[in-house]
């Protein structure tokens, strides 16, 4: 009887161990949420020609926000969809209304992004990926000779590409390091009185290096 009980326990442990290992291992699949923090640089694109040496053609600041996504593990590859809401501290530090990268004195406002990503598993805990999608950004106009913002803003439409590395900390938590480049090609103005201008062409570049920490469900 004792030998039978030992044999039964050993058989149960043999079956349970692979299942337990599978449960605790990182899977890079399912829904996720994350907090985002990083460096933000916004400037004139290659089509902007501004010869006035007084003008700032770029602004820099701290990027912060939240993101969410859903991934599917295909074995050695992972594909998914994702979205973000971010804001930034980047703004002009000039005290006149000279023409800065085609907009005048501005501060960077909120940014909305939706896109997809695809990557390969470098090892069971590390995902290397590329991403791309649509981005809509807001630039707030700075009024007069102060740093006060007005309700007038530029709304920019463009595209984003990027690449990064995601590392599973444990079953549910992860950390990411990512670079992304955005180019905005269309814009319109939202005026203080509620009016909106017609669309016009622009060329504005954006470079970001961000780190994220998140939770996978």
């Amino acid at each position: 009887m004792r030998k039978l009980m030992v044999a039964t326990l050993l058989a149960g442990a043999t079956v349970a161990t692979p299942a337990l290992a599978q449960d605790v291992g990182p899977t890079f699949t399912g829904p996720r949420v994350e907090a985002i923090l990083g460096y933000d640089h916004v400037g004139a694109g290659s089509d902007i020609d501004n010869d006035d040496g007084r003008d700032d053609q770029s602004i820099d600041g701290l990027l912060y926000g939240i993101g969410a996504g859903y991934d599917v593990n295909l074995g050695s590859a992972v594909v998914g969809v994702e979205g973000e809401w971010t804001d930034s501290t980047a703004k002009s530090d000039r005290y006149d209304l000279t023409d800065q990268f085609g907009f005048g004195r501005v501060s960077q406002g909120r940014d909305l992004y939706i896109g997809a990503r695809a990557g390969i598993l470098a090892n069971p805990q590390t995902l290397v990926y590329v991403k791309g999608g649509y981005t809509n950004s807001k630039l707030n106009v700075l009024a007069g000779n102060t740093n006060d913002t007005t309700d007038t803003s530029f709304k920019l439409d463009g595209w984003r590409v990027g690449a990064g590395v995601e590392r599973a900390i444990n079953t549910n938590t992860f950390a990411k390091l990512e670079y992304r480049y955005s180019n905005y090609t269309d814009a319109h103005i939202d005026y203080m009185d509620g009016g909106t201008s017609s669309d016009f062409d622009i060329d504005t570049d954006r470079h970001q290096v961000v780190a994220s920490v998140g939770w996978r469900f």
Side-chain angles (χ1 to χ4, degrees), residues 44 48-53 55-57 98-102:
I48 298 295
D49 183 14
N50 189 337
D51 296 326
D52 188 343
D55 296 351
D56 295 334
Q57 293 198 41
T98 54
D99 180 23
Q100 296 174 34
F101 55 89

Side-chain angles (χ1 to χ4, degrees), residues 133-169:
Y134 164 77
T135 173
N136 176 274
S137 188
K138 178 180 178 181
L139 290 173
N140 302 308
V141 176
L142 298 179
N145 292 322
T146 73
N147 286 327
D148 295 332
T149 60
T150 72
D151 292 332
T152 304
S153 61
F154 292 88
K155 299 291 181 62
L156 316 181
D157 291 305
W159 50 269
R160 176 174 297 166
V161 293
V165 178
E166 179 176 326
R167 177 74 177 181
I169 300 173

Side-chain angles (χ1 to χ4, degrees), residues 59 89-92 105-109 138-142 149:
I59 52 178
T89 64
K91 66 178 181 179
S92 166
R105 296 181 62 232
V106 297
S107 65
Q108 179 63 54
K138 178 180 178 181
L139 290 173
N140 302 308
V141 176
L142 298 179
T149 60

Side-chain angles (χ1 to χ4, degrees), residues 32-180:
R32 57 181 167 86
V33 294
E34 61 194 88
I36 302 166
L37 186 68
Y39 167 71
D40 191 22
H41 174 89
V42 185
S46 58
D47 291 340
I48 298 295
D49 183 14
N50 189 337
D51 296 326
D52 188 343
R54 298 178 309 157
D55 296 351
D56 295 334
Q57 293 198 41
S58 65
I59 52 178
D60 302 271
L62 180 69
L63 182 79
Y64 56 93
I66 56 174
Y70 189 94
D71 297 311
V72 178
N73 191 334
L74 302 177
S76 59
V78 174
V79 296
V81 293
E82 59 185 4
E84 288 182 7
W85 174 93
T86 58
D87 208 336
S88 175
T89 64
K91 66 178 181 179
S92 166
D93 59 1
R94 293 194 60 83
Y95 290 91
D96 55 45
L97 295 179
T98 54
D99 180 23
Q100 296 174 34
F101 55 89
F103 292 108
R105 296 181 62 232
V106 297
S107 65
Q108 179 63 54
R110 65 103 183 103
D111 183 89
L112 304 175
Y113 166 78
I114 185 169
R117 71 172 186 167
I120 58 174
L121 292 173
N123 58 53
Q125 289 79 36
T126 306
L127 175 68
V128 181
Y129 63 89
V130 294
K131 62 184 292 179
Y134 164 77
T135 173
N136 176 274
S137 188
K138 178 180 178 181
L139 290 173
N140 302 308
V141 176
L142 298 179
N145 292 322
T146 73
N147 286 327
D148 295 332
T149 60
T150 72
D151 292 332
T152 304
S153 61
F154 292 88
K155 299 291 181 62
L156 316 181
D157 291 305
W159 50 269
R160 176 174 297 166
V161 293
V165 178
E166 179 176 326
R167 177 74 177 181
I169 300 173
N170 55 40
T171 305
N172 299 108
T173 58
F174 62 89
K176 291 165 51 182
L177 183 63
E178 182 178 289
Y179 165 78
R180 55 262 200 109

